[in-house]
Amino acid sequence: MSAGGGFKSLDKKWERFRWYLEATGRYRESGEELNQSIIRPALGYTLTDTISLWQGYAWNVDYPEGADAITENRIWQQLVWKKPTWLGNFMSRNRLEQRFVETGDDVGWRFRELLKLAYPLTPAWSVVVWDEIFLGMNSPDWFSPAGIHEGLDQNRAFVGMGYSFSPQIRVEAGYMNQFLDRKPDNKLNHVALFSVFLAF
């Protein structure tokens, strides 16, 4: 679930500033065992009607099977470009992450590029497709050749449906294909994804 809004109601001079908060829970195949949890707050600034800049933080906890939980802290910056087109609402999100993992001392740098399109079928319903690629930019001491490594880290591709209950409440549900580059045994995950978006 994610929520976002502005500060215009506090003071008109803050109308270009934005806030964002995301809470994510990811579960294993059984749907009962938590695999990962993320809390991601951010502050943003709208440069134009289509471009915004963001500075955020993420608290990420992984729960490996048969092992202790691993905590990761991330600092991230992003540029978002949104534009209505004849195909629907298009978004490009460029995110740069600095990753701090408790099992190592180095900072891991990662770049993420998300391209998303929502094609309207009716005023409320839309078809949603997006793809996000993850690229590791360096090799910190907690990377491993057989696990997370420099270069292509993963790719996520989604197709689904979106429904707007109102301008403030929207849900998206569908299928996500997640490819993890984990040489020599790459992984392919099939994910049922459900998201709730709140606008204030």
Side-chain angles (χ1 to χ4, degrees):
M1 183 181 75
S2 64
F7 297 96
K8 184 178 179 180
S9 60
L10 299 178
D11 194 309
K12 184 172 173 54
K13 68 182 180 181
W14 295 96
E15 65 181 345
R16 288 189 174 270
F17 289 90
R18 310 289 295 170
W19 63 269
Y20 175 84
L21 179 62
E22 177 185 333
T24 301
R26 296 174 180 155
Y27 293 82
R28 294 191 172 89
E29 291 181 8
S30 66
E32 299 176 355
E33 189 176 2
L34 190 64
N35 183 53
Q36 188 181 59
S37 60
I38 303 174
I39 303 293
R40 188 181 281 122
L43 291 174
Y45 183 81
T46 55
L47 295 175
T48 69
D49 291 340
T50 59
I51 299 173
S52 59
L53 297 174
W54 294 83
Q55 173 65 60
Y57 164 78
W59 179 71
N60 186 104
V61 182
D62 287 308
Y63 304 94
E65 292 184 277
D68 293 335
I70 299 173
T71 299
E72 176 183 338
N73 294 281
R74 299 176 189 169
I75 300 171
W76 53 271
Q77 305 80 38
Q78 71 182 22
L79 182 148
V80 176
W81 180 66
K82 296 182 178 180
K83 181 73 173 178
T85 72
W86 65 275
L87 279 175
N89 293 318
F90 176 78
M91 180 184 75
S92 168
R93 188 190 71 198
N94 305 271
R95 179 179 292 173
L96 182 64
E97 296 177 324
Q98 298 85 57
R99 307 172 65 191
F100 303 83
V101 179
E102 61 181 353
T103 57
D105 297 316
D106 296 342
V107 180
W109 290 76
R110 184 168 70 179
F111 177 74
R112 300 168 57 166
E113 172 66 27
L114 172 72
L115 300 175
K116 179 178 180 179
L117 180 69
Y119 178 78
L121 299 175
T122 71
W125 288 96
S126 60
V127 176
V128 180
V129 294
W130 55 256
D131 188 84
E132 184 176 20
I133 190 169
F134 296 63
L135 299 172
M137 301 175 66
N138 67 333
S139 298
D141 56 3
W142 45 270
F143 274 26
S144 65
I148 301 175
H149 54 83
E150 187 175 355
L152 177 63
D153 175 51
Q154 61 177 285
N155 189 82
R156 299 174 180 173
F158 173 85
V159 59
M161 298 294 296
Y163 183 81
S164 298
F165 291 93
S166 70
Q168 292 77 36
I169 303 173
R170 176 176 172 81
V171 297
E172 293 178 1
Y175 165 76
M176 183 181 78
N177 179 283
Q178 181 188 35
F179 170 76
L180 297 170
D181 192 303
R182 302 292 183 262
K183 297 177 177 65
D185 298 316
N186 295 328
K187 298 180 180 179
L188 193 64
N189 295 322
H190 304 283
V191 181
L193 187 62
F194 180 78
S195 302
V196 179
F197 304 92
L198 305 177
F200 296 94

